[in-house]
């Protein structure tokens, strides 16, 4: 039974004893830092039924707790807030459980499974900064959900077909001159992206020429030679033209090799990858089923639609009049395929907020079709990432490339670390590993610390600050504690928990309380699909430890029990930071 559970039960007994009120919801919250105490019970909701002022209710409950509770050491009342302090024996008992629990923070299996689909790149361009936020969110959510008791499958749907792919193929066919990643020294996904940009350059010139001949810009965009040719290529691909398919396969394979290198570099992997080229036709049978059930209807041009106005949405096209699929057709089929493959209890899609409406429609259609898995479908919507210079555009080549950004971050980490001059004894391989850990720690933490729903501004320089609200600050705290632990080991000091007579320092109590919140935060982050809660927790724990380190002496205290406890506390904090950052996909350095 947790401290919170014991305290809630004791408060419930006090409320029943003094006010004859049964089954009251007892909510506890952390006490505000300006007041003494660790847990606060708000008495305002009881005033009407108890017929007493909030402060009087707090005083009565506090007196009862002091007289009868096994965990309460003291209290104070501030208006309707009952702030409660706990006995040192309670804190020591709690810490003992944390200290000896190797699985602390990992909840037992809940018997449920979840699929997290993320990344979902296009094969006409390399991964960029926006993809990094997507990948880090999906990867972190997968780790958090696993820690909270779910069986997790990580999947990726690669957008490897469509007009955008044909644009890169056309530009390469016309301008490539047989260039390959090997001959050019350009990574495969970057090479495909190069030709996507070249298509846009040529396409704009063709539009300009047609406008000068008297066409409107809208008409010119439809009649430009290269857009017509790209549309022909798409039709040839859909008809399995051997030459077109061979070019498509060659360029996609270059891209997959490039993606694999990037994924490996950023520490992201998938259990299964789906490809749009294999799934884009799957939804047609579901459309036919929906027509038979009366879920869909046909219009005069033979196109198939669904009326979702009852759900607060619009009419939605689900199949064109010529029988070709639209995105929603494919997603219906792919979702059915994923459910057949895995049969998960929940399905999460990590996709940018520009697709919010699309997913509302998808889930509404699944419910209309009577799919039992529809209620377990969630869109993890996230805001775009901007730079100080503004919005990124792939076709204009103004995106921040993921590989380039990681390389820049590694270089920044190296220069910042060298300025501090603390790794003179590192060999080149150790230094390289540290720079990579700091770079990815900075990048992942900066992109994950913001609530996913919020649009954000990414500042590379700010993200790698060793003193701010950053990944490197937390990594540095971990490395500092590991140094303390090594010193303790060399001195033969054992990490132990003292007996009940030990009088704790306030900084020690605050550290135990901070540690005790870790499983709470893991569960909250899983329930709210919010890695930002873990980011904030790791930062808060590092700050509490640094305050503890400033206020107490670890090794020179005259009380040997205090020394042993503080070494044990330090070790537990380091391990919890390691676990928390691990849920964000961030490695920790043993030395810095």
């Amino acid at each position: 039974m947790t401290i919170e559970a014991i305290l809630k039960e004791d408060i419930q007994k006090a409320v029943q004893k003094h006010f004859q009120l049964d089954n009251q919801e007892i909510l506890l919250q952390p006490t505000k830092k300006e007041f003494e105490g660790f847990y606060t019970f708000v008495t305002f909701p009881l005033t009407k039924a108890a017929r007493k002022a909030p402060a009087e209710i707090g005083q009565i409950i506090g007196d009862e707790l002091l007289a009868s509770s096994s965990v309460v050491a003291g209290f104070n009342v501030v208006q309707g807030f009952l702030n409660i302090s706990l006995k040192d024996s309670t804190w020591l008992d709690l810490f003992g459980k944390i200290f000896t629990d190797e699985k602390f923070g990992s909840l037992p299996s809940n018997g449920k499974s979840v699929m997290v689909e993320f990344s979902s790149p296009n094969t006409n361009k390399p991964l960029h900064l926006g993809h990094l936020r997507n990948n880090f969110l999906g990867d972190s959510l997968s780790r958090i959900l696993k820690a909270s008791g779910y069986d997790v499958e990580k999947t990726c749907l690669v957008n490897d077909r469509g007009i955008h792919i044909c644009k890169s193929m056309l530009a390469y066919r016309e301008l490539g001159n047989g260039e390959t990643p090997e001959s050019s020294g350009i990574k495969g996904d970057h090479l495909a992206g190069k030709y996507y940009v070249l298509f846009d350059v040529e396409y704009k010139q063709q539009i300009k020429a047609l406008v000068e001949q008297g066409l409107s810009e809208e008409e010119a965009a439809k009649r430009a030679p290269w857009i017509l040719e790209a549309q022909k290529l798409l039709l040839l691909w859909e008809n399995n033209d051997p030459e077109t398919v061979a070019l498509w396969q060659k360029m996609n394979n270059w891209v997959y090799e490039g993606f694999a290198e990037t994924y490996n570099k950023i520490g992201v992997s998938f259990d299964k990858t789906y490809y749009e080229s294999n799934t884009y036709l799957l939804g047609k049978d579901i459309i036919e089923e929906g027509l038979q059930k009366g879920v869909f209807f046909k219009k005069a041009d033979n196109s198939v639609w669904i009326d979702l106005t009852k759900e607060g949405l619009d009419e939605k096209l689900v199949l064109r009049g010529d029988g070709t699929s639209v995105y929603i057709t494919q997603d219906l089929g792919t979702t059915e395929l994923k459910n057949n493959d895995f049969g998960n209890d929940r399905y999460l899609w990590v996709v940018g907020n520009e697709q919010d409406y699309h997913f509302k429609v998808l889930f509404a259609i699944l419910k209309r079709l009577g799919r039992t898995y529809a209620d377990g479908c969630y869109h993890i919507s996230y805001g775009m990432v901007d730079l100080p210079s503004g919005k990124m555009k792939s076709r204009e080549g103004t995106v921040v490339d993921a590989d380039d950004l990681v390389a820049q971050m590694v270089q920044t980490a190296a220069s910042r670390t060298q300025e501090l001059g603390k790794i003179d004894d590192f060999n080149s391989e150790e230094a390289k590993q540290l720079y990579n850990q700091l770079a990815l720690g900075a990048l992942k933490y900066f992109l994950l610390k913001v609530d996913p729903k919020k649009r954000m501004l990414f500042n590379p320089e700010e993200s790698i600050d060793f003193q701010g609200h950053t990944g490197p600050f937390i990594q540095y705290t971990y490395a500092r504690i590991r140094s303390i632990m090594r010193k303790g080991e060399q001195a033969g000091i054992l990490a132990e928990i003292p007996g009940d007579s030990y009088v704790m320092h306030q900084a020690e109590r605050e550290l135990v309380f901070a540690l005790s919140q870790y499983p709470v935060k893991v569960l909250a982050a899983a329930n709210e699909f919010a890695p930002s809660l873990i980011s904030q927790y790791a930062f808060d724990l590092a700050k509490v430890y640094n305050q503890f380190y400033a206020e107490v002496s670890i090794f020179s205290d005259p009380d040997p029990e205090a020394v042993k406890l503080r070494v044990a506390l330090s070790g537990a904090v380091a391990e919890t930071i390691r676990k928390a950052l691990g849920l964000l996909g961030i490695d920790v350095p043993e030395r810095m």
Side-chain angles (χ1 to χ4, degrees):
M1 200 172 187
T2 65
I3 287 176
E4 287 90 342
I6 294 170
L7 198 50
K8 284 182 179 182
E9 188 175 280
D10 289 346
I11 293 171
Q12 180 66 69
K13 288 177 182 176
V15 169
Q16 200 284 326
K17 177 179 177 179
H18 291 278
F19 308 112
Q20 293 74 53
L21 298 175
D22 294 321
N23 302 317
Q24 293 294 310
E25 186 178 14
I26 307 298
L27 298 176
L28 295 174
Q29 60 191 40
T31 301
K32 291 182 179 180
K33 293 195 178 296
E34 57 265 34
F35 302 112
E36 186 180 346
F38 282 92
Y39 293 98
T40 294
F41 174 61
V42 181
T43 64
F44 291 107
L46 298 177
T47 52
K48 187 174 181 181
R51 296 182 179 179
K52 292 187 183 295
E56 187 181 356
I57 294 170
Q59 187 67 41
I60 293 169
I61 294 173
D63 287 336
E64 180 62 35
L65 291 175
L66 206 54
S68 61
S69 175
S70 63
V71 299
V72 174
F75 71 93
N76 64 85
V77 179
V78 181
Q79 296 176 336
F81 299 91
L82 171 60
N83 303 318
I84 302 165
S85 300
L86 304 182
K87 294 177 180 178
D88 283 348
S89 58
T90 301
W91 289 121
L92 291 170
D93 181 60
L94 173 60
F95 179 59
K97 291 172 183 173
I98 293 171
F99 187 64
T100 55
D101 184 1
E102 290 184 1
K103 294 184 177 179
F104 176 66
S106 293
L107 283 69
S109 172
N110 59 21
K112 295 181 179 179
S113 65
V114 60
M115 177 184 289
V116 185
E117 181 191 293
F118 61 101
S119 196
S120 304
N122 297 333
T123 57
N124 63 319
K125 57 191 175 185
L127 302 178
H128 56 61
L129 176 56
H131 288 120
L132 288 180
R133 189 178 199 193
N134 181 301
N135 277 280
F136 297 157
L137 278 171
D139 179 66
S140 181
L141 274 174
S142 301
R143 294 168 187 261
I144 290 167
L145 289 164
K146 186 175 182 180
S148 70
Y150 284 91
D151 183 29
V152 179
E153 271 90 34
K154 298 180 292 180
T155 61
C156 175
L157 174 64
V158 178
N159 300 304
D160 64 341
R161 63 164 290 280
I163 191 68
H164 50 297
I165 310 299
C166 291
K167 289 176 180 179
S168 294
M169 290 165 57
L170 174 63
Y172 178 78
R173 190 187 73 186
E174 298 300 317
L175 306 172
N177 295 318
E179 185 178 31
T180 66
E182 292 75 22
S183 69
S184 64
I186 300 174
K187 195 161 159 275
D189 50 339
H190 288 242
L191 190 61
K194 167 186 170 182
Y195 286 98
Y196 185 58
V197 173
L198 288 174
F199 174 92
D200 192 60
V201 171
E202 176 62 24
Y203 180 41
K204 283 179 176 175
Q205 289 176 351
Q206 292 177 1
I207 292 172
K208 184 180 178 183
L210 289 172
V211 169
E212 287 172 354
Q213 293 172 27
L215 292 181
S216 68
E217 192 155 333
E218 184 180 352
E219 188 65 25
K222 293 177 184 176
R223 290 174 57 179
W226 269 29
I227 196 65
L228 296 175
E229 195 61 32
Q231 290 164 355
K232 285 182 189 175
L233 264 184
L234 180 57
L235 196 58
L236 286 168
W237 180 87
E238 291 186 354
N239 290 324
N240 263 330
D241 173 64
E243 188 179 336
T244 305
V245 170
L247 175 60
W248 172 79
Q249 287 176 333
K250 178 168 73 172
M251 293 186 72
N252 272 355
N253 285 337
W254 292 344
V255 173
Y256 296 144
E257 289 174 7
F259 283 171
E261 187 180 325
T262 303
Y263 286 137
N264 183 59
K265 191 183 300 179
I266 64 175
V268 166
S269 63
F270 306 97
D271 299 309
K272 186 175 180 64
T273 299
Y274 292 94
Y275 297 91
E276 190 176 311
S277 56
N278 295 331
T279 64
Y280 80 106
L281 298 176
L282 291 180
K284 290 189 176 183
D285 288 343
I286 295 175
I287 302 303
E288 186 56 41
E289 175 200 331
L291 281 168
Q292 297 297 325
K293 288 181 174 179
V295 173
F296 304 126
F297 65 92
K298 280 190 176 181
K299 289 192 175 181
D301 63 355
N302 220 34
S303 60
V304 182
W305 294 72
I306 184 170
D307 183 355
L308 295 172
T309 51
K310 286 183 180 178
E311 286 85 348
L313 305 168
D314 297 322
E315 288 190 351
K316 176 67 180 177
L317 173 72
V318 295
L319 200 67
R320 294 189 186 96
D322 61 4
T324 56
S325 302
V326 290
Y327 269 118
I328 206 76
T329 326
Q330 172 198 293
D331 278 359
L332 288 167
T334 305
T335 306
E336 187 90 340
L337 175 63
K338 291 195 299 185
N339 188 64
N340 291 340
D341 285 347
F342 291 97
N344 297 107
D345 297 291
R346 286 183 168 188
Y347 296 91
L348 312 185
W349 284 260
V350 182
V351 180
N353 58 13
E354 73 276 12
Q355 295 296 328
D356 284 356
Y357 185 80
H358 174 84
F359 281 99
K360 287 178 183 176
V361 169
L362 174 64
F363 300 159
I365 294 175
L366 290 171
K367 287 178 183 178
R368 286 278 196 97
L369 288 167
R371 293 303 190 259
T372 55
Y373 54 82
D375 286 334
C377 293
Y378 301 87
H379 173 208
I380 310 303
S381 176
Y382 65 91
M384 296 295 99
V385 184
D386 295 321
L387 293 159
S389 57
K391 193 176 179 181
M392 302 179 291
K393 295 181 181 177
S394 299
R395 64 181 177 274
E396 294 178 9
T398 59
V399 300
V400 174
D401 176 81
D403 295 315
D404 291 345
L405 179 57
V406 170
Q408 178 193 334
M409 295 295 289
V410 170
Q411 183 55 49
T412 304
S415 61
R416 291 282 180 90
T417 306
Q418 288 161 10
E419 283 170 16
L420 294 172
K422 292 189 176 183
I423 61 162
D424 295 339
D425 59 335
F426 279 43
N427 63 40
S428 60
E429 196 55 41
E430 289 172 332
K432 181 181 176 183
Q433 182 184 15
L434 176 62
Y435 302 152
N436 274 293
Q437 287 176 327
L438 293 175
L440 285 172
L443 193 52
K444 290 184 179 185
Y445 190 85
F446 202 93
L447 292 176
L448 290 173
K449 72 178 182 179
V450 178
D451 184 304
K453 296 181 183 65
K454 293 181 180 177
R455 190 167 189 144
M456 66 175 296
L457 184 72
F458 177 70
N459 186 323
E461 288 294 319
E462 184 184 330
S463 73
I464 210 158
D465 187 348
F466 285 79
Q467 298 300 321
H469 185 185
T470 66
F473 166 75
I474 304 168
Q475 289 172 308
Y476 181 72
T477 300
Y478 174 86
R480 168 192 266 184
I481 299 173
R482 290 299 299 139
S483 175
I484 290 167
M485 299 304 292
R486 287 190 292 271
K487 183 177 177 182
E489 289 164 11
Q490 289 165 6
I493 297 170
L494 297 176
E496 291 182 355
I497 298 158
D500 286 352
S501 61
Y502 179 80
V503 179
M504 297 181 77
H505 191 285
Q506 180 66 6
E508 294 168 340
R509 299 185 192 106
E510 289 177 358
L511 208 46
V512 176
F513 176 76
L515 285 166
S516 74
Q517 297 305 295
Y518 179 53
V520 178
K521 296 300 181 182
V522 171
L523 190 58
N527 290 339
E528 297 176 35
F529 307 133
S532 54
L533 295 180
I534 300 296
S535 305
Q536 187 64 48
Y537 173 79
F539 178 63
D540 289 342
L541 180 59
K543 282 199 303 181
V544 171
Y545 182 82
N546 284 315
Q547 187 64 33
F548 160 85
Y549 185 78
E551 289 185 15
V552 304
S553 169
I554 292 180
F555 293 112
S556 59
D557 194 289
D559 183 354
E561 284 201 319
V563 174
K564 292 174 182 178
L565 173 62
R566 289 165 192 175
V567 169
L569 282 167
S570 297
V573 170
E575 181 62 10
T576 306
I577 285 176
R578 184 189 67 79
K579 288 179 178 178
L581 289 184
L583 295 185
L584 305 177
I586 296 173
D587 290 331
V588 285
E590 290 296 307
R591 294 192 300 151
M592 272 178 73

